[in-house]
Amino acid sequence: MSILIQNGRIITASDDYIADILIEEDIIVAIADGMEGDADHKIDASGKIIFPGGIDPHVHLDMPFMGTYSSDSHETGTLAALHGGTTMVIDFILQTQGKSLHHALEQWQGRSDGNCYGDYSFHMAVTDFNADTRKEIVQLIENEGITTFKTFMAYKGALMIDDGQMVDLMAEVEDKGGMVTVHATNGDMIDHLIAKHRSGGKLSPLYHYLSQPEITESEASGRFVDMARYTDVPAYIVHLTCEGALDQVRNATKRNQKVFVETCIQYLLLDAGLYEQEDGAKWVMSPPLRQPKDQETLWAGINQGLIQVVATDHCPFNWDQKLMGKDDFSKIPNGHPAIEHRMELLWSEGVEKGRISANKFVEVTSTNPAKIFGMHPRKGCIAVGSDADLVIFDPNRQHTLSAESHHMRVDYSAYEGWEVTGKVETVILRGEIAIDNGEVQINKGYGQFIKRDKLSKMV
Ligand code: URP
Ligand code: ZN
Ligand code: ZN
C-alpha cells in the first residue's frame, strides 16, 4: 500500500517546512514539494502539522506491583498510546529477586507478544545482580535487542540493588554495549520516613510526599552520577522531578560526564498541592509531585539541553486499587495514567504556551528517545528510509481531557477537565493508518517488538 500526504507542515527536531510525504509499504520513500501520482491513498494535510510518531520510553503495562497489577495491558496501553500520537513504547520487565533475567523476559513476552497495537520494546530491570545474571546481560543485548538495564535505588526488599551491585552492573553493561538507567531515590531514608510517619499515625497521601523529600532524590542522583563517573559510563536517570537532582546532573556535565535525563509530563504540569485533596491518592507516584519552583527548573532544563526526554512513567491503577491504601498511604499502589496524553499536553502546555519550541517538542518526545535507546534513524525522524511512523496533528483543535473519553483502561483521569489546544487526528504506524479521527484502523497484534541497536557513547 502507498500513501501520499500532501501539503502538511513537517516538523522534526531540526526542521519546519511544508512538503508532501510519500509512503510505500512501511517506510517513507520520498519527501518533496508538489508530488503527484497514483498513491493508493491520499491525505490532504493542509493546515495540519506532521511530526514523527511519539516514543514513550517509560511505561509499565500489566506490571505486578505493590500487590496488584497496573491496569493497562499491552493491548489497551499501546492502543491508548496510539490515540495520543505515541507509536512506540518501552515497557519495563522486572526481574524477580532470586530468579533469572530470562525468566522475567518470558513472563513479559507471555503478556505482550501478539497483543500490542503499537510498537514496543523492553528495558530489563535488574533487581539481583550476581554471577548468573551477569552472564545474561550479553545475551539480552546480542540476541534480544534489549540494551538498557534499569536499576532501583529504592523499593528495598523487592527491587532495590546496593551500590556494589550498581558499579559492577554499570561496568558489565557498558562493556557489552548497553546502558544502565536508574530510579534515583534514597530507599533507606524513604523507608525510615515512611515508618516514622506511620508510627505517628500520619497516614494520608500527603505523607507519601513528605516521606520522599527532595533531598532523597538529589542525594541518590548525585551518588548515581558519581558511580557512573567512577565506572566511566554514560548513564540515564528516569523520571527526574526536582531542582536538587537536576543540579547534580549540571555538576556532572561540568566534569564532562554524559548523563541523560528524563522527566515526565506530570512533573512539568502538576504539583504537590494535589496531595492535600481528598482524592490525593490519584497522584501517589514515586518520586512524588514536587513544587512550582521545580516545574520551572524542569522547563528550563529542557531548554538548556540538560533534560533530553519527556516520558510518562505510565503506571495506572483503578480507583479501587488506589483504595488499597485508603487507611495507609504506604499501601497505595504508586503510579498514574498518562500514556495517552503526553503529546497533546506537552504541545498545549509547552509549545502553545511558548515554553518550548515545536522542534524541541519533537526532540524530547521522539527523536531523543530514538537516539538514546538505539532506534535512530529507523524511528524518531521523518526521513527517506525511516519507518513511516507519523502523526497528523491539528494545532488549532481544542478539546477537554476526561475519563469519559480517554482510551486508557483506568476509571479516572489525572487531568480531568483540562482544556487542551491541539489534537492528534491521524496516526500512521509503519505505513498503516492506525488511528483516523479517533477510530482505530489496525488490529491487535500489529505492534511489533523492536530490537534495539547497541548503544553509542556519542549520542
Ligand atoms: O510511581 C511509580 N513511578 N510507579 C512505577 C514504578 C516506578 O518507580 O517507576
Ligand atoms: Zn521509578
Ligand atoms: Zn516507572
Side-chain angles (χ1 to χ4, degrees), residues 58-60 63 65-66 92 94 150 152 155 159 183 208 212 238-239 266-267 283-288 312-315 317 322 333-336:
H58 191 153
V59 307
H60 301 277
M63 182 179 83
F65 191 54
M66 295 185 72
F92 286 87
L94 301 184
K150 165 87 176 286
F152 291 89
Y155 304 120
L159 303 174
H183 170 127
H208 169 77
Q212 300 200 33
V238 306
H239 57 37
Q266 59 271 28
Y267 300 120
W283 297 278
V284 165
M285 64 186 84
S286 292
T312 60
D313 193 7
H314 176 72
C315 191
F317 296 100
K322 289 283 187 182
N334 286 200
H336 108 305

Side-chain angles (χ1 to χ4, degrees), residues 162-396:
D162 64 30
D163 295 346
Q165 290 178 301
M166 181 72 86
V167 289
D168 281 355
L169 178 67
M170 280 176 168
E172 181 66 18
V173 166
E174 161 73 5
D175 184 54
K176 302 297 184 290
M179 182 167 63
V180 168
T181 74
V182 71
H183 170 127
T185 61
N186 183 321
D188 283 333
M189 189 171 163
I190 292 168
D191 287 347
H192 170 75
L193 291 173
I194 291 173
K196 189 173 127 190
H197 288 134
R198 291 177 77 205
S199 69
K202 293 170 173 166
L203 298 168
S204 72
L206 178 63
Y207 290 92
H208 169 77
Y209 167 65
L210 294 174
S211 298
Q212 300 200 33
E214 182 174 359
I215 187 78
T216 58
E217 189 177 338
S218 52
E219 185 281 330
S221 302
R223 185 157 35 103
F224 177 74
V225 297
D226 283 348
M227 290 188 280
R229 185 185 192 199
Y230 168 74
T231 49
D232 190 23
V233 302
Y236 183 101
I237 301 178
V238 306
H239 57 37
L240 184 142
T241 70
C242 58
E243 185 183 5
L246 196 62
D247 280 344
Q248 299 287 355
V249 175
R250 207 183 301 275
N251 289 338
T253 64
K254 287 185 195 158
R255 302 185 305 237
N256 303 323
Q257 277 185 256
K258 191 76 191 164
V259 182
F260 299 108
V261 175
E262 164 200 292
T263 191
C264 298
I265 190 71
Q266 59 271 28
Y267 300 120
L268 291 165
L269 303 184
L270 307 175
D271 69 62
L274 289 166
Y275 296 122
E276 293 178 79
Q277 290 188 183
E278 211 172 315
D279 59 351
K282 287 177 182 170
W283 297 278
V284 165
M285 64 186 84
S286 292
L289 300 173
R290 301 287 185 198
Q291 295 296 324
K293 61 106 183 157
D294 297 299
Q295 296 174 346
E296 294 303 314
T297 299
L298 297 178
W299 285 110
I302 291 174
N303 284 317
Q304 291 157 354
L306 280 171
I307 297 175
Q308 293 84 15
V309 175
V310 177
T312 60
D313 193 7
H314 176 72
C315 191
F317 296 100
N318 282 307
W319 186 239
D320 65 340
Q321 295 174 288
K322 289 283 187 182
L323 287 179
M324 290 162 65
K326 68 180 171 10
D327 300 322
D328 179 351
F329 71 88
S330 71
K331 298 196 165 62
I332 302 169
N334 286 200
H336 108 305
I339 201 168
E340 185 170 350
H341 299 321
R342 175 184 68 132
M343 305 286 279
E344 289 176 346
L345 278 171
L346 190 66
W347 181 275
S348 187
E349 294 291 320
V351 182
E352 180 68 23
K353 293 195 172 165
R355 289 165 161 146
I356 58 170
S357 70
N359 299 116
K360 184 60 92 173
F361 167 84
V362 173
E363 200 183 313
V364 297
T365 57
S366 180
T367 310
N368 280 347
K371 285 183 175 173
I372 294 169
F373 294 116
M375 296 176 282
H376 192 267
R378 177 175 176 190
K379 305 255 180 219
C381 57
I382 300 180
V384 172
S386 296
D387 278 4
D389 299 347
L390 300 168
V391 176
I392 304 178
F393 188 75
D394 183 343
N396 299 315

